[in-house]
Amino acid sequence: MNEFKAPKGTRDIFPPEIQKWQFLERAIHDYYQKFLYQEIRTPIFEHSELFSRGIGDETDVVQKEMYTFKDKSDRSLTLRPENTAAVVRAAIENNLFETVAPLRFYYIGPMFRYDKPQKGRYRQFQQFGIEVFADESPQLDAEVIFSAVDFLKNLQITDIRLELNSVGCPQCRPAYLDVLRRAASAEKNKFCADCQRKIDGNALRIFDCKLPACAETAGRLPLISDHLCPACRDHFAAVRETLNCMNVPFQLNPRLVRGLDYYTKTAFEVTSGQLGAQNALLGGGRYNNLIKELGGPDMACIGFAAGMERIVLHLDHLALPRAKNLFVAYGDHQWLAHAIQLAQVLREEGYPVYLDYQGKNLKKQFKKADRVAAAFTLVLAEDEVKTASVSVKNMASQEQIKISLKDLNAWLKKNY
Ligand code: HAM
């Protein structure tokens, strides 16, 4: 019996699925570098307070989902549940505002949330995300959203829906929250216990409850879209206008609220029609006050993060190129040194080469060559070594020809 199992909510990723991950990671680097984003890598754990202050004490993420522990010096540390707060912390601490331009970052890495595991929802999951520290231009919001949708389209993920909202700003949201709380209190006993608690705390999150009775009651509550201040209203109109001009279809969802407290103005999510309950591929928005709240300059920001497990679930259709491997075989151990040298030369030429040091006999080596998906097996035996040549067997057609070593590279270039 297997004594050890991976912890609940985590998963091992191994071949052949790993190919999709590597493909996706390359696609992220290639795509976002086109917009002058640069990669940033921050620690897996941070001081817990960064997340409670950055994400908000009242959020589910902070209240229920963080992996928090004390280190041996009694410091409270937390495995990062998301990366926006950490990127902001890194920018402030290292004064990246002065040294990096443009302030456009992307990241790829594991996040940790004590969530209820199910398909597409894990306790350790991988996000890629982007963060732009710049200004309030609504055209920037549209560019960020365009990039998210376009990135998915390039991966041939087309059954998607972009939902858009504005969640207001510190000028208009407090007054709206008063109106919302009053309306929700009037119908308090129609909400579940969890939503009842949210009325006095994180009232916006009432809109997130999936229970039919709560959703129905929440459907009658006042909407932020009717309570935006003129600045937020104009900003949101310009975001929509630019998205239209970029041909990015979207649905307005005035009940779209995000699970993290730092958002201001534009909020968006992209969902997939191919996923079940956990259908959010990515989510993000503006967070114009976070840098200042965490001790940095007053600088408006926007970003999003995507769940990479959920994207990988959409990559089945991609015909990922199968590696064409070479296998170097030797007729007898006395030719192993020659085989090692040949393998080295071939790798220097850029070919993936496998050499089996235990190669007992040629038959067993050919079997191994099949298992490692070799396109060609290159055999060295007495005759080949004496004539400075190699026998090349095409593993698909089983044809074999002898080629002199000096012509091998040219032959491979033509036939590989
Ligand atoms: P979020 O909406 O909490 O936003 O997460 C972004 C994405 O991460 C989700 O849409 C989903 O695809 C994926 N995700 C979240 N939780 C899980 C989970 N337990 N298992 C698998 N995938 C999951 C953020 O994290 C913000 N930091 C996004 C952002 C960046 N906003 C501005 N900048």
Side-chain angles (χ1 to χ4, degrees):
M1 203 188 78
N2 233 350
E3 203 180 335
F4 295 110
K5 291 203 172 356
K8 191 172 173 187
T10 68
R11 55 192 298 271
D12 303 305
I13 306 172
F14 44 86
E17 185 189 324
I18 196 73
Q19 260 191 291
K20 293 183 198 163
W21 285 86
Q22 291 174 344
F23 173 86
L24 176 57
E25 284 161 16
R26 272 194 295 271
I28 296 162
H29 293 293
D30 290 349
Y31 188 86
Y32 278 99
Q33 286 177 8
K34 281 199 297 200
F35 289 81
L36 269 68
Y37 285 79
Q38 300 184 74
E39 188 179 2
I40 184 165
R41 300 185 191 188
T42 58
I44 301 288
F45 57 87
E46 298 272 354
H47 292 290
S48 305
E49 207 196 330
L50 173 70
F51 299 117
S52 49
R53 280 193 34 208
I55 299 173
D57 273 327
E58 299 274 348
T59 58
D60 278 358
V61 171
V62 170
Q63 287 203 344
K64 303 182 192 161
E65 296 170 6
M66 296 211 303
Y67 280 90
T68 296
F69 57 97
K70 287 270 171 87
D71 73 2
K72 293 200 192 312
S73 307
D74 215 32
R75 294 184 194 94
S76 178
L77 299 171
T78 295
L79 297 183
R80 59 184 188 189
E82 61 102 51
N83 212 22
T84 307
V87 173
V88 168
R89 193 268 312 136
I92 298 171
E93 184 176 344
N94 300 290
N95 194 20
L96 300 183
F97 310 104
E98 299 291 322
T99 54
V100 176
L103 287 161
R104 294 180 154 216
F105 300 102
Y106 73 92
Y107 49 84
I108 302 174
M111 309 293 154
F112 305 83
R113 293 184 194 176
Y114 192 76
D115 251 330
K116 215 173 176 181
Q118 61 187 87
K119 189 181 174 199
R121 196 209 264 160
Y122 305 96
R123 289 182 175 170
Q124 176 176 337
F125 58 100
Q126 197 86 3
Q127 277 187 346
F128 90 83
I130 68 170
E131 313 294 347
V132 192
F133 305 155
D135 53 48
E136 278 218 61
S137 316
Q139 293 77 16
L140 175 63
D141 302 39
E143 184 194 276
V144 164
I145 296 170
F146 165 84
S147 78
V149 171
D150 188 52
F151 178 78
L152 295 175
K153 281 199 180 142
N154 285 349
L155 297 178
Q156 295 163 46
I157 303 174
T158 47
D159 183 9
I160 54 174
R161 180 185 163 95
L162 166 64
E163 296 188 7
L164 196 63
N165 194 18
S166 172
V167 293
C169 70
Q171 266 67 53
C172 50
R173 196 157 45 198
Y176 164 68
L177 287 176
D178 278 348
V179 175
L180 177 66
R181 286 198 178 102
R182 266 201 304 276
S185 299
E187 304 207 58
K188 190 166 182 170
N189 45 23
K190 296 190 183 126
F191 286 109
C192 69
D194 208 21
C195 285
Q196 290 189 13
R197 267 193 303 276
K198 287 178 192 160
I199 295 176
D200 296 318
N202 203 349
L204 273 183
R205 302 288 296 162
I206 295 173
F207 291 113
D208 255 1
C209 187
K210 300 277 184 289
L211 293 175
C214 291
E216 203 215 309
T217 316
R220 293 191 292 273
L221 295 177
L223 297 169
I224 180 83
S225 44
D226 298 323
H227 294 264
L228 293 176
C229 60
C232 285
R233 219 177 309 138
D234 292 348
H235 186 271
F236 194 38
V239 175
R240 296 190 316 258
E241 197 181 307
T242 315
L243 283 172
N244 283 331
C245 130
M246 292 171 144
N247 274 325
V248 179
F250 58 85
Q251 315 275 321
L252 291 179
N253 178 356
R255 291 183 186 84
L256 173 73
V257 289
R258 305 269 306 127
L260 313 156
D261 274 358
Y262 46 63
Y263 291 107
T264 52
K265 294 194 163 76
T266 312
F268 62 95
E269 272 178 18
V270 175
T271 54
S272 159
Q274 283 173 45
L275 295 176
Q278 300 306 312
N279 63 354
L281 283 174
L282 58 88
R286 277 206 163 272
Y287 49 98
N288 289 345
N289 302 318
L290 186 60
I291 297 189
K292 200 164 159 212
E293 267 165 30
L294 294 180
D298 190 0
M299 192 179 267
C301 312
I302 180 165
F304 75 82
M308 291 171 69
E309 282 80 3
R310 298 180 190 183
I311 295 180
V312 164
L313 283 171
H314 289 75
L315 298 185
D316 279 341
H317 61 283
L318 281 185
L320 296 172
R322 206 173 137 78
K324 272 185 165 183
N325 301 328
L326 298 182
F327 191 99
V328 173
Y330 42 97
D332 185 277
H333 248 268
Q334 60 182 306
W335 315 121
L336 177 57
H338 291 268
I340 290 173
Q341 284 172 346
L342 178 60
Q344 275 177 337
V345 171
L346 290 167
R347 287 196 194 104
E348 273 165 27
E349 289 296 333
Y351 298 104
V353 184
Y354 190 87
L355 178 62
D356 188 5
Y357 297 102
Q358 286 186 318
K360 292 197 177 90
N361 57 41
L362 271 178
K363 197 169 159 204
K364 285 202 171 128
Q365 290 179 68
F366 272 114
K367 255 198 181 147
K368 192 73 177 262
D370 264 335
R371 289 197 58 200
V372 302
F376 297 102
T377 298
L378 284 62
V379 185
L380 286 170
E382 185 169 8
D383 188 41
E384 285 83 0
V385 173
K386 271 190 185 151
T387 56
S389 59
V390 65
S391 294
V392 181
K393 183 167 182 176
N394 181 324
M395 298 300 285
S397 67
Q398 297 287 305
E399 282 165 46
Q400 186 163 316
I401 56 163
K402 206 185 229 181
I403 299 171
S404 90
L405 283 177
K406 67 175 175 22
D407 298 332
L408 180 62
N409 197 20
W411 186 90
L412 281 173
K413 280 209 168 101
K414 222 161 93 196
N415 296 279
Y416 180 70

